[in-house]
Amino acid sequence: MPLSSYAQVQTNPLRLPLTPPNFWDGLDKEADDDIISLATHVIATERDALANLHNLYQSDPAAQRSFKQALHVMGKTSRQGGRIIVSGMGKSGKIGQKFVATLNSFGIRSAFLHPTEAMHGDLGMIGHVDAFGVPTPTSSTTTALALTDALALALARRLHPNPTEIFHHYHPGGAIGASAAPTAPQLIGSIATNVDDVPIILDGQGPKSPTVLDALLTAARSASGWVRASSDTIIAPRQIQRIGRKVDLKEPLSSIGHAIVVEKLDWISIPAANSIQEAQEWILSMRQTSRGRTFLKPGTILGIVDSQKCVSGVVEIEEIMTGDQLQ
């Protein structure tokens, strides 16, 4: 632009167009519609591929077994101080690099090994306790990304009681880091059901022996799903759900009570002021012993102790621990 024209523009800014030029003018609308149709077809294909992947791992025992085996190997490697070594070329290599980045964000030591570089000396980066893997080629990079993300998140959950906190520690920047930023720890007392709010079966109806049906009806009226068989015994919501359809509803509750009713003496006391993470860590630590595994198992009721040293609330152990952690 000549200097004189530049000066004219600068001294007369209102002569500039107020809106950008319309780049759509002169384009072929029919061709554009074909492009949008192609784009939505690709998106729909990827969606279907994800749906098939979901169905596969939800229903195929072989796929589930392979997933668990991969988790076991990677988990064992990480606990022994080894690294997850991932290799691949082309799109599989890119997927592998993304997998490594996600693992490292969870503090799971990982590294990417390019196959070509491996043939020129980089094989030396693999240690005797490291695990080596190659992303399986697939026609859909979307499904490959989804599967490796699932592996990374499942592994992080198996290795860390609170993977979100670990993720924020190693990934403090950006919107993802901000969303994972720790907040005030949630206290276990905040998720407890107040014992006084739990209805008692046949309360005020005399000495009649309660039946299974009485327990179910009381649970249906209970806002929390918890039911007290007496002042010192309780039935958790998950235990109510486990009552089989073949059970005679007219039978006395005592006929199956031993399997679902838990006496107060068997509740595991935890201070209400403890955070949920502290409770999780304590349970995981106790379950390292045979005695801990005996009384901290599926179906265990946690009695939440208030500041007056009274058990004022209850929590099912499954509310804060996963099935894998209780195996």
Side-chain angles (χ1 to χ4, degrees):
M1 177 185 292
L3 288 178
S4 59
S5 299
Y6 177 78
Q8 186 178 21
V9 170
Q10 290 295 97
T11 56
N12 298 282
L14 294 181
R15 295 182 60 183
L16 294 174
L18 297 179
T19 58
N22 185 358
F23 293 106
W24 293 99
D25 288 346
L27 294 182
D28 187 339
K29 183 178 183 302
E30 184 175 343
D32 293 340
D33 290 342
D34 289 342
I35 291 174
I36 295 299
S37 177
L38 174 62
T40 54
H41 172 73
V42 172
I43 293 171
T45 301
E46 296 287 358
R47 177 201 62 202
D48 293 342
L50 284 174
N52 289 334
L53 183 70
H54 174 267
N55 292 334
L56 175 68
Y57 281 92
Q58 190 175 49
S59 59
D60 189 318
Q64 294 171 353
R65 185 165 54 252
S66 296
F67 190 93
K68 292 178 181 178
Q69 288 173 344
L71 278 183
H72 174 73
V73 170
M74 291 190 294
K76 182 178 179 181
T77 298
S78 185
R79 290 190 183 98
Q80 292 177 341
R83 295 182 301 171
I84 312 299
I85 308 297
V86 181
S87 184
M89 292 187 67
K91 291 189 290 295
S92 293
K94 299 299 183 183
I95 298 297
Q97 291 175 359
K98 165 63 169 61
F99 183 40
V100 165
T102 303
L103 290 174
N104 284 325
S105 293
F106 283 111
I108 302 170
R109 297 175 61 245
S110 311
F112 180 77
L113 175 61
H114 194 282
T116 302
E117 300 297 334
M119 301 303 295
H120 293 271
D122 280 5
L123 278 174
M125 70 185 292
I126 303 177
H128 68 281
V129 294
D130 292 339
F132 180 80
V134 179
T136 303
T138 173
S139 59
S140 170
T141 54
T142 303
T143 56
L145 280 171
L147 184 55
T148 53
D149 280 349
L151 274 169
L153 290 169
L155 181 59
R157 185 60 182 268
R158 174 164 290 187
L159 295 175
H160 306 300
N162 191 345
T164 300
E165 184 175 304
I166 298 296
F167 183 85
H168 175 71
H169 177 76
Y170 291 105
H171 194 307
I176 296 178
S179 66
T183 57
Q186 186 178 11
L187 304 183
I188 194 166
S190 68
I191 65 171
T193 296
N194 193 317
V195 174
D196 291 339
D197 294 337
V198 177
I200 300 178
I201 303 172
L202 300 179
D203 188 23
Q205 297 187 31
K208 175 187 173 184
S209 178
T211 64
V212 176
L213 179 59
D214 291 326
L216 293 176
L217 291 175
T218 305
R221 292 192 295 266
S222 173
S224 62
W226 288 83
V227 171
R228 282 192 288 171
S230 68
S231 58
D232 293 323
T233 57
I234 203 163
I235 308 174
R238 284 178 174 80
Q239 298 299 335
I240 290 288
Q241 295 167 7
R242 292 190 182 112
I243 295 178
R245 294 182 179 180
K246 296 182 179 180
V247 174
D248 185 351
L249 299 183
K250 296 180 181 180
E251 285 290 318
L253 180 61
S254 57
S255 64
I256 63 168
H258 64 282
I260 64 172
V261 178
V262 182
E263 296 187 9
K264 192 172 185 178
L265 291 174
D266 294 327
W267 304 355
I268 305 302
S269 299
I270 292 183
N274 280 17
S275 69
I276 293 177
Q277 181 179 348
E278 288 173 331
Q280 291 170 330
E281 292 173 348
W282 177 78
I283 291 172
L284 287 174
S285 174
M286 291 298 296
R287 279 184 53 80
Q288 298 303 312
T289 67
S290 58
R291 180 171 175 268
R293 288 191 296 273
T294 299
F295 65 82
L296 290 168
K297 57 186 179 181
T300 295
I301 293 178
L302 307 177
I304 309 305
V305 182
D306 60 23
S307 58
Q308 304 300 316
K309 308 299 182 183
C310 297
V311 177
S312 58
V314 285
V315 171
E316 292 183 275
I317 195 171
E318 290 90 345
E319 291 185 60
I320 64 170
M321 307 298 290
T322 66
D324 286 344
Q325 292 171 328
L326 295 175
Q327 286 182 353

